[in-house]
Amino acid sequence: MSTTPHFQRVALIGFGLIGGSIARAAKLQGLAGEIVTTARSEKTRARVLELGIVDQVVATNAEAVKDADLVILCIPVGACGPVAQEIAAHLKPGAIVSDVGSVKGAIVRDMAPHLPKTIHFVPAHPVAGTEQSGPDAGFSTLFIERWCILTPPKGTSEEAVARLRAFWMALGSNVEIMDAQHHDLVLAITSHLPHLIAYNIVATAADLEEVTNSEVIKYSAGGFRDFTRIAASDPIMWRDVFLNNKEAVLEMLGRFTEDLTALQRAIRFGEGATLHQLFTEARATRRSIIEAGQDTAAPDFGRHTGGKPPGT
Ligand code: NAP
């Protein structure tokens, strides 16, 4: 079984935060003989050309995937089905086709039916990101020490999975293999729900604007600012996440609402012990995330670096 992460020709469809970060890291690590990319708009393609990171920028998805050994769709989840249909006839037999979408069940549902039997389909989700988007947002260290989850459908070639795993490891990631449905449930609570809460709290504050006006901005360091950072994420990407991970998100939202009601009750009836216990447990969760190397204990680190980890 081959574990070499080297591909002759890597095609990246979409060059935003994730596509741009893959290109930068793959270039740095010498993982591809050639990197070819495309994006939907002429504006993005022109900017990618200017950046000079990839070897070739082409106008169409079909042109990009021609002769590519590895094709990665780095576009919103809702766009992956139509693009799979568009590129299907142009894929090289034996190529690995992957994606980076934040939802996996819908990706398999929407892409698999279009793809020819001659290619290997290995969906992936790098659990790494920032609230930035577009061709300038990417950076080569984005994936270092972050998890990348692969969700190959049953029967996928083990060699293809091993090659993609080696590629992501060479980009700096730890790799986990998971069933697509399980992925969607886990990410619903760890990523999707926190974004929904952030969008909602920012919207609630905006509704209060007339009363509080500049106070919302002025005192935002009290916690609100962190929500506004999360809520600054790309609206199309997040619209597609919620439309395509509906059941898991609704399940987690139901549990969250029940727990919130319990908190509301504890506050109403002055149940200090209940509040204290819950806050203590939450603090322990934060500590274990830091111990697992998934964040830094430095206070308020986003303020000084514009959201990127130091040194990137
Ligand atoms: P991004 O910075 O907004 O870039 C998106 C790219 O997709 C752009 O090049 C855009 O082209 C292209 N695109 C948009 N709509 C398209 C369409 N209908 N057809 C073809 N191309 C289209 O987004 P991103 O943050 O890199 O996210 C890309 C994917 O990564 C999403 O599926 C997301 O779920 C996943 N992901 C994101 C994060 C994160 O934190 N951002 C983390 C992990 C995974 P133009 O520039 O020409 O419009």
Side-chain angles (χ1 to χ4, degrees):
M1 186 187 303
S2 165
T3 52
T4 171
H6 195 280
F7 292 89
Q8 259 324 307
R9 184 174 158 100
V10 173
L12 301 172
I13 297 185
F15 197 99
L17 171 70
I18 302 296
S21 295
I22 295 174
R24 287 168 171 93
K27 186 86 179 167
L28 203 67
Q29 300 299 330
L31 304 182
E34 163 180 51
I35 303 175
V36 55
T37 193
T38 187
R40 181 180 48 169
S41 66
E42 176 55 40
K43 187 171 169 241
T44 300
R45 295 197 295 271
R47 180 60 190 146
V48 179
L49 209 54
E50 249 171 41
L51 286 168
I53 300 160
V54 301
D55 301 285
Q56 228 186 315
V57 182
V58 296
T60 67
N61 297 332
E63 224 180 314
V65 305
K66 190 172 173 283
D67 295 327
D69 315 288
L70 174 62
V71 175
I72 309 180
L73 273 57
C74 307
I75 58 180
V77 169
C80 287
V83 169
Q85 186 170 20
E86 190 188 335
I87 60 175
H90 308 276
L91 292 166
K92 177 177 153 181
I96 295 175
V97 176
S98 190
D99 75 304
V100 293
S102 308
V103 177
K104 298 274 54 97
I107 288 286
V108 175
R109 179 199 66 202
D110 295 348
M111 285 183 67
H114 300 297
L115 297 172
K117 297 274 176 283
T118 50
I119 64 94
H120 307 291
F121 178 39
V122 189
H125 175 206
V127 187
T130 75
E131 70 281 13
Q132 314 285 337
S133 51
D136 290 285
F139 50 103
S140 65
T141 53
L142 176 64
F143 307 114
I144 293 177
E145 292 300 316
R146 295 285 177 254
W147 285 96
C148 181
I149 302 172
L150 308 186
T151 64
K154 274 204 179 74
T156 307
S157 145
E158 280 182 26
E159 187 185 340
V161 176
R163 286 194 76 194
L164 194 67
R165 175 198 275 269
F167 180 79
W168 276 104
M169 286 177 76
L171 296 181
S173 291
N174 304 313
V175 177
E176 188 85 79
I177 312 270
M178 212 181 266
D179 168 74
Q181 271 62 39
H182 186 65
H183 165 279
D184 289 354
L185 204 58
V186 172
L187 270 291
I189 187 68
T190 58
S191 170
H192 307 169
L193 196 57
H195 277 82
L196 195 68
I197 293 165
Y199 282 124
N200 193 49
I201 200 166
V202 172
T204 304
D207 280 350
L208 296 175
E209 204 182 11
E210 274 202 13
V211 195
T212 54
N213 207 354
S214 64
E215 272 122 336
V216 171
I217 312 291
K218 190 169 163 189
Y219 302 119
S220 66
F224 181 69
R225 191 182 58 205
D226 292 340
F227 285 108
T228 61
R229 185 185 58 73
I230 298 174
S233 301
D234 185 63
I236 294 175
M237 167 188 159
W238 284 98
R239 177 202 66 192
D240 283 7
V241 166
F242 292 112
L243 291 179
N244 287 284
N245 198 21
K246 185 170 152 180
E247 270 154 40
V249 169
L250 290 178
E251 163 70 20
M252 292 304 163
L253 193 56
R255 290 184 188 217
F256 175 81
T257 310
E258 284 170 22
D259 290 344
L260 194 62
T261 305
L263 264 180
Q264 191 179 13
R265 194 186 146 82
I267 294 169
R268 186 182 307 285
F269 293 104
E271 294 167 1
T274 307
L275 296 175
H276 184 259
Q277 190 189 342
L278 193 136
F279 299 162
T280 305
E281 284 166 12
R283 187 184 236 194
T285 303
R286 170 70 188 163
R287 284 191 180 137
S288 43
I289 287 170
I290 292 163
E291 276 160 25
Q294 294 301 302
D295 204 351
T296 154
D300 227 0
F301 108 116
R303 184 196 308 188
H304 309 291
T305 62
K308 291 181 182 178
T312 54

